[in-house]
Amino acid sequence: MSKTLDVVNPFSLEVIGSVQTSDWDQIDAMMEKAYRLFNNRDAWLPAYQRMDILKKTSRLMETRFDELAFQIANEGGKPLVDARVEVARAIDGVELCVREISQMTGREIPMDLTEAGAGRIAFTHREPIGVVIAASAFNHPLNLIVHQVGPAVATGCPVIIKPAPDTPLSCMSFVEMLYEAGLPKDWCQPVVCSNDVAEQMITDPRVAFLSFIGSARIGWMLRSKLAPGARCALEHGGAAPVIVSEDADIDKMIPLLTKGGYYHSGQVCVSVQRVFAPPTKAEEIAKKLAAAAAALKVGNATDPTTDCGPLIRPPEVDRVEEWVREAVDGGAKLMTGGKRLGETTYAPTVLLDPPADARVSSQEIFGPVICVYSSKTTAEAIQAANGLPFAFQASVFTKSLETALQTVSRLDANAVMVNDHTAFRVDWMPFAGRRQSGYNIGGIGYTMHDMTQDKMAVIRL
């Protein structure tokens, strides 16, 4: 039976909207529609129609730019200045889907390399993989939906999208714009449901592809339960490391680390978390980071002057508070912050030399906390950076090309930024976690490839 789910502003906890939830019977009907739609090949949308729908969608998003940005801030707690960037990226992402459709090409396969193949010609083309289930996260409530739904629409896959229950409004707005742009509703169906119903949906044999962004514990569990033949892409978190060399320009580095660590109050899977620096530099870096962090304004994300918004739920503030207290009790030096500012906010925090076994050092913080460590050598720093069971993006600060390239080669990360923070991303680059941080590759073009499969025709002459 459907129920109403209230959506709240995560700073004030005031109700700002509501959505209807779905039970299994309703979702089963949605999935059957999607499954039958895919299996009726005469109903597939040709490329020019998909391109036209996505072009119209991007134009609709442009006309509602300010409304979408405010909605992101209001339901997700991302400061307006960053919410506006997210909307711009989401519009670019939809347009990128359009461009990538023309790149969905096949190739000729040579047949006469042996006598057995002689007298034949062969070629491949890309086909949609089938029904896509996409489960999304709260921290980029519009752009993540674009990254999951846009490629499905572009490749011609029916998609059922489950937004995070904390931030469903941006998803609903995007889907409604797809409909307004001409997408038949059965091709994209949004759903909000309980976790047990979501698991039943994701593990259903009608699912061809799962796109999951969220908790590693849940993502890997779901992958283990997928129906035979179903493929997936998982995007989880990390504890992004930064290697600082002796010759790094600290004053140029601090603003970048501040942005990379406190953007969206650290609720980003590639946020700056662990900074490894020479002993002669570590305390200086921690002090300058602390000064920058202390200057950030914490408040309601809908206030244009806010730098850091709330954490998504009050229990997350409790968790961050507990982890920081544990680190300080274990010997970490608290440089700034280290306290909750209210029921929903936590002060931007800098810790110097927390214990290696503290949770702030060994798990993803997903909060406004940066840890600075004294490392005797670069090799020691890299060993510590690589020492966790997850790996995503990393960075190195140095003036030496040799040091930069050596560090890039030795860090276990999908991407290593040189003289930039770990949270840098553009939407066409490969974006992926290694080991426990993810499976398969994100980025619009890469996702579109995963949502299609090769079909080969072999013609005997």
Side-chain angles (χ1 to χ4, degrees):
M1 180 182 296
S2 294
K3 298 179 181 179
T4 299
L5 174 69
D6 287 334
V7 182
V8 302
N9 174 299
F11 177 80
S12 66
L13 301 181
E14 295 176 354
V15 175
I16 59 171
S18 63
V19 293
Q20 292 297 116
T21 64
S22 299
D23 60 21
W24 172 246
D25 288 342
Q26 293 168 310
I27 291 174
D28 182 44
M30 292 180 189
M31 294 191 68
E32 189 61 23
K33 285 181 182 178
Y35 188 68
R36 290 180 179 274
L37 186 63
F38 176 75
N39 284 305
N40 178 10
R41 295 189 171 225
D42 292 337
W44 286 8
L45 300 175
Y48 75 89
Q49 285 187 14
R50 287 178 266 134
M51 294 172 74
D52 185 59
I53 289 165
L54 290 168
K55 287 176 182 176
K56 288 178 179 176
T57 301
S58 73
R59 291 196 290 270
L60 287 170
M61 294 170 76
E62 288 174 346
T63 65
R64 299 170 193 178
F65 191 102
D66 290 337
E67 173 190 337
L68 291 170
F70 184 84
Q71 189 171 63
I72 289 168
N74 203 22
E75 71 171 340
K78 178 180 288 186
L80 266 176
V81 62
D82 298 316
R84 292 188 181 104
V85 173
E86 179 172 342
V87 177
R89 283 183 58 189
I91 293 170
D92 288 343
V94 173
E95 293 172 351
L96 181 58
C97 287
V98 175
R99 295 194 296 274
E100 287 289 337
I101 291 175
S102 66
Q103 303 303 310
M104 288 177 14
T105 58
R107 64 189 183 96
E108 182 184 354
I109 309 296
M111 286 286 106
D112 59 351
L113 302 179
T114 66
E115 183 178 353
R120 295 166 175 81
I121 58 172
F123 59 88
T124 65
H125 65 277
R126 305 293 293 177
E127 285 189 339
I129 195 170
V131 176
V132 171
I133 300 293
S136 204
F138 77 86
N139 53 342
H140 308 291
L142 179 62
N143 200 40
L144 291 182
I145 299 298
V146 166
H147 271 255
Q148 294 173 290
V149 171
V153 173
T155 55
C157 293
V159 57
I160 297 175
I161 173 67
K162 177 191 174 298
D166 296 297
T167 55
L169 303 180
S170 296
C171 172
M172 300 302 176
S173 294
F174 179 67
V175 173
E176 286 297 328
M177 284 185 282
L178 285 172
Y179 296 162
E180 189 175 341
L183 183 70
K185 290 188 176 182
D186 289 350
W187 283 98
C188 179
Q189 303 175 86
V191 62
V192 177
C193 61
S194 64
N195 290 339
D196 58 332
V197 172
E199 181 177 336
Q200 189 173 359
M201 172 178 67
I202 287 167
T203 57
D204 189 277
R206 290 168 289 190
V207 176
F209 190 86
L210 166 66
S211 170
F212 180 89
I213 303 173
S215 156
R217 178 182 62 83
I218 295 173
W220 290 108
M221 177 274 291
L222 290 172
R223 178 176 177 261
S224 73
K225 295 183 177 183
L226 290 178
R231 301 178 188 176
C232 70
L234 310 178
E235 184 183 310
H236 306 315
V242 176
I243 307 298
V244 182
S245 73
E246 283 279 3
D247 65 349
D249 189 324
I250 293 175
D251 289 332
K252 288 183 178 179
M253 177 179 72
I254 295 301
L256 295 167
L257 295 185
T258 301
K259 185 64 178 179
Y262 302 115
Y263 163 63
H264 202 0
S265 293
Q267 298 172 113
V268 179
C269 59
V270 286
S271 288
V272 171
Q273 179 169 330
R274 300 177 296 149
V275 179
F276 299 94
T280 56
K281 305 278 188 179
E283 187 161 3
E284 177 189 0
I285 291 169
K287 285 180 178 178
K288 289 185 175 182
L289 264 178
L296 297 173
K297 179 181 177 181
V298 180
N300 195 330
T302 59
D303 180 346
T305 65
T306 291
D307 299 305
C308 290
L311 297 189
I312 191 63
R313 300 174 216 99
E316 292 302 297
V317 183
D318 299 336
R319 178 186 60 79
V320 171
E321 183 179 45
E322 180 183 335
W323 287 22
V324 171
R325 185 186 305 117
E326 172 194 74
V328 172
D329 290 346
K333 185 176 180 180
L334 180 63
M335 308 299 290
T336 193
K339 60 183 178 182
R340 65 191 309 144
L341 301 176
E343 185 181 5
T344 60
T345 52
Y346 195 83
T349 296
V350 177
L351 297 174
L352 178 60
D353 286 323
D357 60 352
R359 282 176 288 184
V360 297
S361 301
S362 59
Q363 299 180 38
E364 182 182 28
I365 294 172
F366 222 62
V369 181
I370 296 177
C371 302
V372 181
Y373 304 85
S374 304
S375 298
K376 294 178 182 177
T377 65
T378 300
E380 179 185 285
I382 292 173
Q383 183 178 10
N386 291 342
L388 301 181
F390 32 81
F392 212 134
Q393 295 196 161
S395 72
V396 55
F397 284 84
T398 179
K399 295 176 183 176
S400 164
L401 179 60
E402 181 180 7
T403 299
L405 294 178
Q406 285 181 349
T407 306
V408 167
S409 70
R410 291 170 183 169
L411 278 171
D412 187 9
N414 183 67
V416 180
M417 311 304 162
V418 178
N419 295 324
D420 206 348
H421 62 70
T422 59
F424 173 80
R425 182 186 184 184
V426 290
D427 297 300
W428 54 90
M429 69 186 241
F431 188 73
R434 293 187 173 187
R435 291 182 274 150
Q436 293 182 21
S437 287
Y439 183 78
N440 271 328
I441 300 175
I444 297 254
Y446 298 89
T447 300
M448 287 176 62
H449 185 271
D450 282 349
M451 290 181 179
T452 58
Q453 53 194 346
D454 277 313
K455 174 174 279 186
M456 183 169 68
V458 181
I459 302 169
R460 184 176 180 180
L461 301 177

